Amino acid sequence: MGEESERLRAACCVEVRTGGGTSPEPPDDEDVPTNARHAARSTQHAAPALRLGLRLIRGLGQAARAKLEAALEQGPFTSVADVVRRTRLDRRALRLLAESGAFDAFLPHEPDLRRRRAALWQVLDAERGDAGPLAPRRAPCGPAPVPAMAPAQLTEADYRMTGVSLNGHPMVHLRELLAPNGIRTARDLLERGRDGERVAMAGLVICRQRPGTAKGFVFLTLEDETGHVNVVVTPKRFERDALLISTTPLLLVRGTLQVEQKVVNIRADLFRALDASVGAEHARSHDFH
């Protein structure tokens, strides 16, 4: 299975985690799973977990993964410093691991929003090593002197590093601003939308299709934190806003709701790009297949 297929499979699992009884976990360096897979938790009554594999970390090559797996043969890693010492990975690979959340399990004492930066701090500290026989490196004591990330920054880091977020969909961080302006969620439209009413929705464009048999119509799939809705774009509308529709990762659309036999679409006539640093620019869209 290719890395992009693996990423899509993991993203699907993460999206259905609430209803499927599966709890997702970040890439974990402690036992170095290569692919996304299910893992049984140690507690007797806990739900099974989906552990994201290191293959999902963008930029972490096969050579780095091989070093991790070889080092693991000596036993589980016990700390960030242990990973640095036993794998001898370069700074770039260690930084990728820290920023993706692979070291989070080694920092249970740190709040969630501080773990990535604290892990990176420990990477740099361990990599620096002793300054000499008279100045040996001291083991870290107490919290790392780093600021916490904002929730939106954590989601952005997830999408940038793995294309999947366990810390909230990008739209979660924008909902408070959008709701007062009549921007509805996918779930609301699917459950309470009425045929023919004017609606507005915003979300990630996860798919763009322009079938040769559709006479120039374009079909988008718009995803927010509650689900997804299909958007229909007429040939004239697409011609007018082709660049915006084709390239914008986070899109606000307004149009007329079409509900027929529980199939819900938005026939859109107005499009706006949402500019927010929430990771949308790092999400992968499947376009014009």
Side-chain angles (χ1 to χ4, degrees), residues 9-201:
R9 173 181 158 199
C12 292
C13 291
V14 169
E15 290 304 318
V16 301
R17 66 188 182 275
T18 303
T22 297
S23 174
E25 297 179 343
D28 188 354
D29 233 3
E30 194 169 351
D31 61 359
V32 196
T34 301
N35 300 311
R37 60 172 174 82
H38 283 278
R41 291 185 184 272
S42 58
T43 53
Q44 184 177 0
H45 302 291
L50 174 76
R51 181 167 295 160
L52 301 185
L54 297 178
R55 282 185 63 182
L56 293 183
I57 301 176
R58 290 169 172 160
L60 188 70
Q62 185 176 355
R65 295 197 299 268
K67 286 184 178 181
L68 285 162
E69 291 171 359
L72 187 65
E73 293 179 0
Q74 306 169 27
F77 296 121
T78 59
S79 65
V80 174
D82 189 36
V83 175
V84 174
R85 178 179 59 83
R86 287 165 51 187
T87 63
R88 299 190 180 276
L89 289 169
D90 60 31
R91 180 174 296 183
R92 176 181 175 277
L94 291 167
R95 186 181 187 112
L96 290 174
L97 290 167
E99 291 184 352
S100 69
F103 294 148
D104 283 6
F106 297 132
L107 298 135
H109 57 284
E110 292 281 3
D112 289 348
L113 294 175
R114 282 172 47 90
R115 285 180 182 172
R116 306 288 174 89
R117 289 175 174 171
L120 186 56
W121 177 272
Q122 289 198 16
V123 163
L124 297 175
D125 179 65
E127 190 184 41
R128 183 167 55 246
D130 297 338
L134 300 180
R137 173 181 169 271
R138 296 181 180 180
C141 58
V146 294
M149 302 173 76
Q153 290 177 316
L154 194 56
T155 295
E156 188 276 336
D158 279 344
Y159 273 89
R160 173 166 46 85
M161 300 306 304
T162 66
V164 180
S165 179
L166 310 183
N167 297 285
H169 192 279
M171 289 301 300
V172 167
H173 308 296
L174 304 177
R175 185 60 57 195
E176 187 176 349
L177 298 174
L178 296 175
N181 294 294
I183 313 302
R184 297 167 65 177
T185 65
R187 180 181 297 155
D188 185 40
L189 294 177
L190 294 171
E191 295 179 353
R192 287 178 283 276
R194 302 187 311 274
D195 184 53
E197 70 173 317
R198 291 285 298 175
V199 299
M201 179 188 166

Side-chain angles (χ1 to χ4, degrees), residues 169-171 174 178 202-205 208 222-224 244 247-253 272-281:
H169 192 279
M171 289 301 300
L174 304 177
L178 296 175
L204 283 176
V205 184
R208 298 175 175 88
L222 212 59
E223 177 196 80
D224 68 8
L244 176 70
T247 61
T248 300
L250 202 58
L251 197 62
L252 166 64
V253 304
R272 292 287 184 270
L274 293 182
D275 185 12
S277 298
V278 289
E281 66 274 23

